[in-house]
Amino acid sequence: MRWWDGFAMSMTMPAALIATLGASIADLGGWGAAVLWAISMLIAMGVNWIYTELATMFPDSSGGITHYAAEAWKKHAPWVAPLASVGYWFPWGTNLATYGAITGALIQAQWFPDTVWTMNIGPLELSLPILIGIGVILFMYLINIVGVRMTMAFVYITAGILMIPLFSFIVLPLFSGDWTPAELTWNLHGMEGLRKALVWLYIMAWTTFGIEVCATFAPEYKDSVKDTTRAIKAAVLFCMGVFFLIPITLGGYAGEAAIQDDPATFFVASFGTLVGGASDIMVLCLIASLLLIMTTSVADASRVLFNMGKTGITIRAVGKLNKRGVPVRALNVMLVLNIVVLVVLQSPLAIIVTGNLGYILTHIFAVSGFFMLRKDRPEAKRPIRLPNFFVPLSIALTAFMVLILVVGATGFSITGYGGFKELAIALGVLATGVVIWLFVQKNDKRKAAELDSVDA
């Protein structure tokens, strides 16, 4: 892989914006959403700049930021390794459910608007979008079973297609008489507005911080040092522009009232008026961009789960590759997980807020690990050594992310997407990861003791 391969992988983040853009504009106002997306991206830029040093400290690891966290904390708190690993893997691993649900909703809105049946199976409810989402999950599973070459080809195709709706969202509204940015609002006022902003920064972190996927593939770049740095920098600059502009251009064109009425699929109506009879093609392009993020998510999460099994952080059985070098067992776990999550949670934003607890916690451990590694391993090899002012910056970013985590995880209800159930699931997943790690560690010690007794 070269840096542009990593950059192509990071194109999942503009695609991921589809999941939360409408809800953010509806709740924050167009200007509030634009400014907050830009702030979130600035935070992500600082965080990911720090990862350029950490990625080149551990160029042979496929664990990404989870490995940075584990290495930094293993002397002080070894339980951070399973907590960070599961916290990172769960949101990336459940992206098939998140964007499968959105794909189903888009297909229903564009081609089957009158097909609104539901079917109850005990406490669970199935509908056309959910069944389509399950079909998408199975399709993406099969794509990744084929291997990394097929995956990268699919990434480039869908990344190229993504440029079409991005161009439409950013440029076409500017030449339309219906674009009225002056009518966009700012819905962040006083202390309640500050709390709302922190909750939305919690939600937005999933989309903006996700450019760290560039660092996850550091061992697979031709030049780990240069390619990792270039990929992250390119991703930061591109995403910052996209995240700030789209709420203003598309929000000003669609109108806040229309977005509030249908935050999940308002894109469909916007396509219909922007490009007329070509709306079918544009929705297909939008769906292709969602397939891009699902492809990257499966590639990233399966590698992380494989690495967790290989290093004994979770059940070792998933740390195996097949004859073609594909982590099939990890993919099988993700297939089952995504179908269950999709059927149980159903709402894309509910899935995101559930996974974000562990995801932000992992970033907290990884960024704080930067100054801990500077302190504990001052002589370690650092092919990229950042200026010393990044040490206090990493401390400030850690503190701010802790604030976002605390306020965000306890304020799901402010957005209307999530509550106690989502928080309980998130905490349960993290706790289960630590319990499995303790079991594996105990089992490894028992086997080591048995071998020692045989040798004696």
Side-chain angles (χ1 to χ4, degrees), residues 85-368:
S85 297
V86 174
Y88 179 85
W89 169 76
F90 184 75
W92 273 107
T94 54
N95 262 349
L96 292 182
T98 302
Y99 299 100
I102 297 174
T103 301
L106 287 172
I107 290 174
Q108 183 186 46
Q110 180 67 17
W111 293 290
F112 306 101
D114 298 324
T115 307
V116 292
W117 57 266
T118 58
M119 179 173 61
N120 294 318
I121 304 176
L124 304 177
E125 183 179 273
L126 296 180
S127 61
L128 179 61
I130 298 301
L131 290 181
I132 293 173
I134 292 174
V136 170
I137 291 171
L138 291 170
F139 173 71
M140 299 310 303
Y141 168 81
L142 294 175
I143 286 287
N144 280 269
I145 285 290
V146 174
V148 70
R149 289 187 178 180
M150 177 66 177
T151 299
M152 284 309 303
F154 195 76
V155 164
Y156 273 107
I157 292 171
T158 50
I161 294 174
L162 171 63
M163 294 298 100
I164 299 174
L166 283 183
F167 177 85
S168 301
F169 290 162
I170 295 174
V171 178
L172 293 185
L174 303 180
F175 298 94
S176 168
D178 296 326
W179 184 52
T180 53
E183 295 181 5
L184 295 175
T185 61
W186 174 276
N187 297 334
L188 295 169
H189 307 288
M191 291 303 298
E192 186 60 29
L194 176 60
R195 186 184 177 206
K196 181 189 290 187
L198 290 171
V199 173
W200 270 104
L201 285 174
Y202 172 91
I203 296 172
M204 291 172 175
W206 163 242
T207 305
T208 56
F209 285 29
I211 57 174
E212 45 76 19
V213 69
C214 298
T216 300
F217 291 91
E220 299 179 48
Y221 291 129
K222 185 176 180 179
D223 186 327
S224 292
V225 175
K226 293 182 180 179
D227 286 333
T228 301
T229 305
R230 290 172 179 171
I232 289 177
K233 290 179 179 179
V236 165
L237 295 175
F238 181 80
C239 291
M240 184 176 293
V242 169
F243 291 163
F244 179 72
L245 290 174
I246 285 185
I248 298 172
T249 55
L250 186 59
Y253 176 79
E256 291 182 5
I259 295 173
Q260 287 171 355
D261 290 339
D262 188 11
T265 59
F266 78 95
F267 307 97
V268 174
S270 297
F271 276 144
T273 55
L274 272 173
V275 297
S279 61
D280 285 353
I281 296 175
M282 297 301 288
V283 172
L284 286 174
C285 291
L286 201 59
I287 291 171
S289 70
L290 295 177
L291 296 180
L292 168 63
I293 188 170
M294 286 187 274
T295 303
T296 303
S297 298
V298 174
D300 186 43
S302 61
R303 281 164 172 75
V304 171
L305 185 58
F306 161 75
N307 193 65
M308 288 166 61
K310 183 180 177 180
T311 56
I313 291 176
T314 191
I315 299 171
R316 290 191 177 274
V318 298
K320 306 290 183 182
L321 301 174
N322 67 4
K323 294 179 180 179
R324 289 182 286 112
V326 177
V328 174
R329 294 182 180 181
L331 288 171
N332 291 340
V333 172
M334 291 174 58
L335 173 65
V336 175
L337 172 71
N338 276 279
I339 292 176
V340 171
V341 168
L342 176 59
V343 173
V344 172
L345 293 179
Q346 301 205 355
S347 165
L349 206 51
I351 299 172
I352 289 174
V353 298
T354 301
N356 241 15
L357 177 68
Y359 186 62
I360 296 177
L361 187 63
T362 302
H363 280 284
I364 289 171
F365 285 133
V367 174
S368 62

Side-chain angles (χ1 to χ4, degrees), residues 383-434:
I384 295 177
R385 185 180 179 88
L386 296 172
N388 288 334
F389 73 81
F390 274 89
V391 175
L393 176 62
S394 67
I395 297 173
L397 286 171
T398 298
F400 191 60
M401 286 192 291
V402 169
L403 176 63
I404 291 173
L405 179 68
V406 172
V407 176
T410 57
F412 289 168
S413 58
I414 290 178
T415 65
Y417 297 94
F420 177 75
K421 179 177 72 173
E422 286 73 17
L423 180 60
I425 292 174
L427 293 173
V429 168
L430 295 175
T432 300
V434 175

